[in-house]
Amino acid sequence: MERVPILKLGDILIVSIQIDLQDMSVLALQEDLSERVVATGARGVIIDITAVEIVDSFIGRMLATIAAISRMLDAETIVVGMRPAVAITLVELGLSLGGVRTALNLEKGVALLNQIENQTPTATW
Amino acid sequence: MTTAEELPINVNGDVVLVRQRVRTVAVNVGLSLVDQTKVVTAASELARNALVYAGGGQVRVEVVHNGVRQGLRMTFSDNGPGIPDIEQALTDGWTTGNGLGLGLSGSRRLVDEFALESTPGEGTLITVTKWAR
Amino acid sequence: MSVHTDAGRRRIEELLQEHEGRVLKRWLEIAVSSTSNQVDRGGLADQLRELYQSLRQSFGSSGDLSDLRGLLAELSRDRARQGFTPTETAVVVFGLKEALYETVEEDGSPDALRGFIWFSRVIDDLGLFTVESYATAREKIIIDQAEQLLELSTPVVKLWDGIVAVPLVGTLDSARTQVVMEKLLQTLVDTGSEHAVIDITGVPAVDTEVAQHLLKTVVAARLMGAECVISGIRPQIAHTIVTLGIEFGDIVTKATLADALAHTLRASGVRVVKGGESRIAVRTVEA
Ligand SMILES: Nc1ncnc2c1ncn2[C@@H]1O[C@H](COP(=O)(O)OP(=O)(O)OP(=O)(O)O)[C@@H](O)[C@H]1O
Ligand SMILES: [Mg+2]
């Protein structure tokens, strides 16, 4: 089973999914990420799915779960780079990805994280 | 000139292989990028269901013709417990596991033709077709 | 196939070989005189020679017509492009019968006459085939043009840095709406635009399916990280949407394209200030 690497950039964790994920890898990523959020005290998680060709209900649920867990651990999750065909398919499938924030690309995802940060000046030290 | 192949769905990695094979055939048949994505997503859902609820099964992937139109047909079969109430299983949000209950109902929306036959105690047979525009 | 026909067929093949030069020359004359259009005589002569040889070859290879059909399809396409009708093209092919008949008559043997009946039938089939391939070629042109029209009729324009718009004009059917949807979403990615305006001022009516597609476009854009505003909804369309029970939910709608632009400019952090002369002040959000 392949594991998806997690990069740390300042106080942001970045995950770039580059392979066709099997369900076990998806679950492993979910676990790895929450551990890393706690260990690093990251304030944001960016999941880059630019290279992902399909998001089915399993991966969709993983994205929503990661967002919910991170939020509990005081980190915001942004999913970036969703392809048009993937978005159209998700809508048809009926997945709304509630609670998951999205941005067009990595750069805009980082900007969005900063913006959220500035809106909540109560951020803990 | 009908090409057909049978793929096993016995372990987790098989779902990935099914997705990849279906993508290749979808490209060959001439489906648009969006339709390729839809049919591969449906394949992923139905293959996972066979694995999770029936402990495995197989899918037949074939190219079909209707006049000048080409299409991709997938037939998923398993010898699992079957689905007692098909209408209920096809309802958005209905699940006996811990899923979202969107696999079956969503797949039906992603394809052009969808047929589900199931006999409790014997197994499930799902046939879906996507036509190139 | 009877012995008679076999002998007849053989005799025709012999005649086609022995009198190739004469028959070809006659065929060209007939072909040229069959039309009032200006023709490229040299080009046509080459094509007829090729056809002739391919026909003889197909007789040799026990009736494999695939090469010959390829050539005929090409001839048919070529002549369609030059403005010939499918009938005119078929007449050119039929001309070979007349061209050969003179030779057959001269020969006068029963075999040759019997063979000529068989030969006529082959040529008739080939002539019909050119008509068929003409129709197929036309059909393909029509499909291609319809697709191009669809593309042309759905432009996605950049209104401002980070704001794109699709002004829709005319009847929206499900297929066209889908094309728009895909094109708009792709433009969002390509231009990195986070705002889009779908303007339906020029759309007279929508049905349930089209309204659903518009709705799905907005939801899909949101999944990708962009916001859509729908502008120019006519009263009748609003009425349709409400009576159909379609939930537009929290989707932003504006009366006019101008209102929608003002809204998206504000949302993307641009402030429009009216001074002595019109001026636009740009304030970028901290990024
Ligand atoms: N091949 C099958 N054999 C037996 N039961 C099945 C099979 N496929 C689906 N089911 C039943 O139908 C229900 C609905 O399936 P569906 O794929 O729609 O949702 P899910 O798998 O529970 O969740 P999701 O696919 O959204 O993650 C399942 O919970 C299961 O009870
Ligand atoms: Mg499922």
Side-chain angles (χ1 to χ4, degrees):
Chain A
M1 183 193 74
E2 290 172 275
R3 274 189 126 81
V4 183
I6 302 172
L7 306 177
K8 184 171 173 297
L9 199 77
D11 47 7
I12 299 176
L13 295 180
I14 298 178
V15 178
S16 178
I17 301 176
Q18 297 291 341
I19 49 162
D20 195 344
L21 290 181
Q22 69 170 63
D23 294 0
M24 310 281 260
S25 309
V26 172
L27 292 176
L29 173 62
Q30 198 171 301
E31 267 170 42
D32 291 353
L33 254 182
S34 32
E35 265 165 38
R36 286 293 294 276
V37 169
V38 174
T40 60
R43 66 178 170 92
V45 175
I46 292 183
I47 303 177
D48 183 1
I49 58 168
T50 310
V52 173
E53 293 183 337
I54 70 141
V55 171
D56 60 10
S57 66
F58 198 85
I59 299 174
R61 190 165 41 148
M62 178 265 300
L63 295 175
T65 309
I66 289 176
I69 293 177
S70 312
R71 195 164 303 132
M72 242 184 280
L73 301 172
D74 201 23
E76 197 64 46
T77 302
I78 319 262
V79 172
V80 305
M82 187 185 293
R83 300 181 178 193
V86 171
I88 292 169
T89 302
L90 273 181
V91 173
E92 208 67 56
L93 193 61
L95 263 180
S96 56
L97 293 192
V100 180
R101 286 182 179 248
T102 54
L104 284 174
N105 51 44
L106 190 56
E107 199 185 338
K108 290 192 191 294
V110 174
L112 182 57
L113 270 181
N114 288 330
Q115 200 182 315
I116 294 169
E117 175 98 326
N118 290 334
Q119 279 165 3
T120 48
T122 46
T124 46
W125 240 88
Chain B
M1 189 205 68
T2 303
T3 50
E5 56 190 313
E6 194 96 19
L7 304 170
I9 307 168
N10 292 320
V11 292
N12 228 289
D14 287 346
V15 178
V16 176
L17 294 180
V18 168
R19 285 204 292 254
Q20 288 167 350
R21 202 52 215 140
V22 169
R23 168 78 66 177
T24 308
V25 179
V27 171
N28 289 343
V29 164
L31 291 181
S32 71
L33 180 59
V34 171
D35 285 345
Q36 288 168 32
T37 310
K38 286 181 176 176
V39 81
V40 173
T41 305
S44 185
E45 295 295 340
L46 299 174
R48 180 179 299 106
N49 277 356
L51 186 64
V52 172
Y53 301 109
Q58 56 275 317
V59 60
R60 187 183 149 85
V61 181
E62 63 192 310
V63 179
V64 286
H65 302 264
N66 178 6
V68 290
R69 288 216 296 174
Q70 276 203 319
L72 184 161
R73 177 166 297 157
M74 306 186 284
T75 311
F76 291 84
S77 55
D78 65 58
N79 300 313
I83 301 173
D85 187 338
I86 291 175
E87 204 175 310
Q88 189 177 44
L90 278 169
T91 311
D92 271 353
W94 194 81
T95 174
T96 58
N98 53 357
L100 297 168
L102 287 174
L104 284 179
S105 52
S107 297
R108 173 147 75 161
R109 285 189 291 267
L110 293 176
V111 297
D112 297 319
E113 289 162 27
F114 183 100
L116 198 169
E117 290 165 50
S118 188
T119 315
E122 280 180 26
T124 303
L125 182 74
I126 300 174
T127 309
V128 302
T129 310
K130 188 96 190 158
W131 294 103
R133 263 183 270 164
Chain C
M1 200 177 276
S2 70
V3 186
H4 282 324
T5 336
D6 258 358
R9 181 178 160 160
R10 248 194 325 274
R11 184 68 199 132
I12 292 292
E13 283 172 34
E14 282 162 15
L15 289 176
L16 280 171
Q17 187 187 352
E18 281 162 29
H19 303 280
E20 169 160 348
R22 193 170 89 182
V23 176
L24 255 177
K25 184 160 164 276
R26 186 72 191 109
W27 189 15
L28 182 62
E29 274 165 23
I30 296 167
V32 171
S33 68
S34 72
T35 167
S36 47
N37 281 31
Q38 200 59 36
V39 282
D40 163 18
R41 215 185 149 99
L44 187 58
D46 287 345
Q47 270 178 324
L48 296 189
R49 191 171 314 111
E50 241 184 303
L51 278 175
Y52 193 90
Q53 255 123 36
S54 175
L55 182 69
R56 282 195 44 214
Q57 233 157 43
S58 79
F59 291 159
S61 67
S62 64
D64 174 18
L65 293 178
S66 52
D67 259 9
L68 187 56
R69 281 171 180 252
L71 284 175
L72 283 171
E74 201 176 298
L75 175 79
S76 167
R77 243 194 331 268
D78 248 33
R79 291 181 50 97
R81 215 173 294 128
Q82 291 169 40
F84 289 101
T85 66
T87 310
E88 281 174 316
T89 302
V91 165
V92 166
V93 175
F94 293 146
L96 180 55
K97 286 194 283 185
E98 197 182 326
L100 184 68
Y101 185 70
E102 285 154 27
T103 309
V104 168
E105 214 176 20
E106 217 170 83
D107 183 80
S109 71
D111 273 349
L113 286 171
R114 221 175 275 120
F116 187 72
I117 293 175
W118 161 81
F119 181 74
S120 290
R121 225 174 275 136
V122 173
I123 297 300
D124 285 348
D125 281 350
L126 295 177
L128 289 179
F129 174 76
T130 62
V131 176
E132 223 171 84
S133 46
Y134 175 88
T136 317
R138 281 305 276 238
E139 217 165 280
K140 178 146 183 354
I141 291 172
I142 291 169
I143 292 172
D144 287 353
Q145 282 177 344
E147 251 162 44
Q148 282 165 7
L149 258 181
L150 207 57
E151 280 284 308
L152 283 177
S153 61
T154 53
V156 179
V157 294
K158 182 174 167 180
L159 286 186
W160 197 267
D161 199 28
I163 305 175
V164 295
V166 249
L168 293 174
V169 178
T171 314
L172 277 185
D173 60 13
S174 183
R176 184 171 166 220
T177 315
Q178 235 159 315
V179 171
V180 181
M181 170 162 160
E182 291 173 27
K183 195 166 167 189
L184 173 63
L185 297 180
Q186 191 55 51
T187 309
L188 294 177
V189 176
D190 295 344
T191 61
S193 301
E194 289 175 318
H195 296 275
V197 180
I198 303 173
D199 183 67
I200 57 170
T201 310
V203 177
V206 300
D207 59 17
T208 332
E209 217 176 324
V210 170
Q212 296 280 15
H213 278 310
L214 287 177
L215 202 69
K216 286 176 191 167
T217 310
V218 179
V219 179
R222 212 171 263 175
L223 278 176
M224 293 166 52
E227 281 298 323
C228 290
V229 175
I230 299 180
S231 67
I233 301 182
R234 293 158 170 244
Q236 297 111 291
I237 294 182
H239 188 253
T240 316
I241 291 172
V242 172
T243 40
L244 289 173
I246 297 165
E247 274 294 337
F248 258 50
D250 55 349
I251 289 168
V252 180
T253 52
K254 293 285 165 195
T256 66
L257 181 56
D259 291 341
L261 177 60
H263 170 88
T264 48
L265 280 173
R266 221 177 302 119
S268 56
V270 179
R271 221 168 23 172
V272 183
V273 184
K274 189 155 190 180
E277 54 196 280
S278 280
R279 214 158 23 121
I280 293 177
V282 177
R283 177 182 61 91
T284 41
V285 269
E286 46 283 286

